[in-house]
């Protein structure tokens, strides 16, 4: 089937990204893996390549291209090479939509040039210890000072990807108590400077996968946040979070599809080279059947991911459609990557093989951005059930 989602510009960008990965990432990736994070300097290289500014208006130093397709290319190319770009994904996929949607003109002038240059890396802090997917249950508070010049932030967050290297973090906090009618009322968003007094990074979390992304616990003790750093309107944060979840879930869906596609590639290469009983593993009927089934699933996931991408670019991707794409693509990736690892035999369990790292990296896709169970709930509600 001929794919139509990308044009010549996207393919030229693909060539650039592929060459960049080969030159700047592959030779040092084992070092990043062992360290548990990509170095901060790497993000400046990504900035020089222009990847942070693709969807940023030209007046702030970006390219002004209102499309997620270049990010989709990066998902495919990093998966193809069996690498990750550290925690930089949240900078663009999670941070940028909130700045574009909520920031005032004054805030955009302050934030976006440094966003594009990599001088300020952004992260998003929603999850708290004990709350998980129940965002309405968050306990972090931000109380307006008596003189009205700043908010006082107190609380803690966990599982914050990009949290170690972040220079600005969009923190979700309660500025008012929930009401009896609406538990979600009273949440606000703040662009918090990580150099603020009282802001601290706790543990850099030791994860099963995504080893090169810095994921951390954050703590806030009487952190003064200027009122100028409130994003959007006070107490409307939950609706803002819901608005941007569609793009986040598309990103997880597309990334999962790309991982599944890469897994088939890794398995094909391995079974052609590996010899058992005097024959390449690829010659056995079971191998052919397993990979054929995997390819069929990848084809289906590609179609779903591409359709969601087109809808996202058109501003038409609904929460239920995003949930459906995430559920389908992440479940496909789970099945496909597991089968492809099995075809590697014992070597599939070794981290020196990309399939092993891919297996670990993929597992979180059915958890973050909303679990598969939450996705089913959203879809069922949209069905009127």
């Amino acid at each position: 089937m001929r794919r139509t989602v990308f044009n010549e510009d996207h393919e030229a960008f693909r060539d650039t990204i592929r060459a960049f990965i080969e030159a700047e990432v592959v030779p040092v990736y084992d070092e990043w893996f062992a360290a548990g994070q990509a170095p901060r300097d790497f993000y400046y290289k990504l900035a020089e390549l222009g990847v942070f500014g693709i969807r940023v208006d030209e007046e702030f130093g970006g390219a002004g291209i209102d499309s997620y397709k270049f990010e989709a290319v990066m998902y495919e190319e990093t998966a193809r090479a069996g690498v990750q770009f550290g925690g930089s994904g949240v900078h663009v996929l999670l941070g940028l939509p909130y700045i574009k949607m909520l920031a005032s003109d004054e805030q955009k002038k302050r934030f976006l040039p440094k966003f594009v240059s990599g001088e300020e890396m952004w992260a998003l802090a929603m999850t708290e210890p004990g709350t998980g997917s129940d965002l309405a249950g968050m306990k972090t508070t931000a109380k307006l000072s008596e003189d009205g010049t700043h908010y006082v932030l107190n609380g803690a967050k966990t599982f914050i990807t990009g949290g170690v290297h972040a220079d600005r973090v969009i923190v979700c906090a309660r500025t008012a108590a929930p009401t009896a009618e609406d538990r979600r009322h009273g949440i606000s968003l703040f662009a918090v400077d990580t150099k603020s007094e009282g802001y601290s990074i706790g543990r850099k979390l030791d994860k099963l996968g995504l080893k090169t992304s810095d994921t951390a616990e954050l703590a806030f003790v009487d952190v003064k946040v200027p009122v100028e750093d409130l994003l959007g309107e006070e107490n409307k944060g939950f609706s803002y979070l819901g608005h941007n979840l569609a793009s986040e879930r598309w990103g997880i869906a597309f990334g999962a599809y790309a991982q599944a596609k890469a897994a088939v590639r890794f398995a094909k290469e391995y079974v052609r080279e590996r010899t058992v009983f005097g024959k390449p593993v690829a010659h056995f009927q079971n191998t052919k059947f397993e990979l054929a089934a995997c390819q069929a699933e990848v084809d289906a996931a590609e179609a779903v991911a591409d359709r969601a991408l087109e809808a996202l670019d058109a501003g038409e991707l609904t929460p239920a459609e995003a949930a459906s794409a995430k559920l389908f693509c992440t479940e496909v990736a789970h099945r496909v990557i597991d089968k492809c690892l099995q075809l590697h035999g014992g070597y599939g369990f070794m981290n020196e093989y990309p399939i092993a790292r891919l297996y670990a990296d993929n597992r979180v896709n059915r958890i973050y951005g909303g679990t598969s169970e939450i996705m089913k709930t959203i879809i069922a509600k949209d069905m009127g059930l």
Side-chain angles (χ1 to χ4, degrees), residues 9-297:
D9 290 339
H10 302 123
E11 296 306 330
F13 180 70
R14 184 187 303 280
D15 292 341
T16 299
I17 289 294
R18 187 172 296 183
F20 175 81
I21 290 172
E22 287 299 319
E24 300 289 346
V25 182
V26 172
V28 294
Y29 197 70
D30 286 345
E31 297 174 18
W32 298 3
F33 191 86
Q37 62 185 34
R40 179 64 174 82
D41 289 348
F42 173 67
Y43 299 144
Y44 288 110
K45 293 181 180 180
L46 286 175
E48 290 173 8
L49 199 63
V51 300
F52 294 157
I54 292 171
R55 291 191 287 112
V56 175
D57 291 342
E58 293 182 40
E59 64 179 299
F60 303 116
I65 302 172
D66 190 19
S67 173
Y68 285 81
K69 291 184 179 180
F70 292 94
E71 288 167 51
V73 169
M74 286 191 284
Y75 280 121
E76 291 185 335
E77 290 305 308
T78 51
R80 179 185 180 277
V83 301
Q84 298 277 337
F85 280 173
S88 65
V90 299
H91 179 67
V92 176
L93 186 66
L94 300 188
L96 185 57
Y98 289 100
I99 301 173
K100 293 181 69 173
M101 179 177 70
L102 302 176
S104 65
D105 290 341
E106 182 275 329
Q107 288 175 323
K108 287 179 180 178
K109 290 176 182 177
R110 274 198 293 134
F111 297 150
L112 285 174
K114 293 179 180 180
F115 181 98
V116 172
S117 70
E119 184 178 346
E120 282 191 353
M121 296 298 295
W122 288 62
L124 177 64
M126 293 190 290
T127 305
E128 296 183 0
T131 60
S133 297
D134 181 21
L135 296 178
M138 68 177 62
K139 305 298 184 184
T140 297
T141 61
K143 296 182 179 179
L144 188 63
S145 63
E146 291 185 4
D147 62 7
T149 62
H150 62 273
Y151 291 86
V152 180
L153 181 67
N154 283 283
K157 300 290 182 179
T158 192
F159 305 149
I160 309 307
T161 303
V164 174
H165 285 318
D167 303 289
R168 286 266 177 187
V169 177
I170 299 173
V171 177
C172 311
R174 283 209 164 275
T175 45
T179 65
E181 297 78 21
D182 187 4
R183 292 179 62 242
R184 300 171 296 182
H185 172 75
I187 294 172
S188 301
L189 307 185
F190 299 89
V192 179
D193 186 340
T194 63
K195 297 185 293 296
S196 302
E197 185 178 352
Y199 179 105
S200 63
I201 300 170
R203 292 185 302 151
K204 181 167 74 69
L205 300 173
D206 183 15
K207 308 183 298 298
L208 170 67
L210 301 179
K211 289 290 189 179
T212 64
S213 70
D214 50 307
T215 302
E217 296 174 330
L218 306 178
F220 321 110
V221 179
D222 294 334
V223 176
K224 293 182 179 179
V225 183
V227 292
E228 293 83 7
D229 289 345
L230 172 69
L231 287 174
E233 296 183 42
E234 198 178 76
N235 299 328
K236 293 188 176 181
F238 199 92
S239 65
Y240 299 146
L241 295 173
H243 185 274
N244 284 324
L245 277 174
S247 60
E248 178 183 353
R249 287 166 179 165
W250 163 81
I252 297 169
F254 204 95
Y257 138 71
Q259 290 176 326
K261 182 177 181 179
V264 173
R265 175 174 176 264
F266 296 146
K268 280 173 59 180
E269 292 175 353
Y270 180 81
V271 299
R272 284 170 173 166
E273 296 172 359
R274 175 68 169 165
T275 300
V276 177
F277 304 125
K279 296 180 180 180
V281 175
H283 283 202
F284 293 91
Q285 186 181 63
N286 179 70
T287 303
K288 296 176 181 180
F289 281 6
E290 288 291 278
L291 282 176
C294 287
Q295 184 61 55
E297 290 216 77

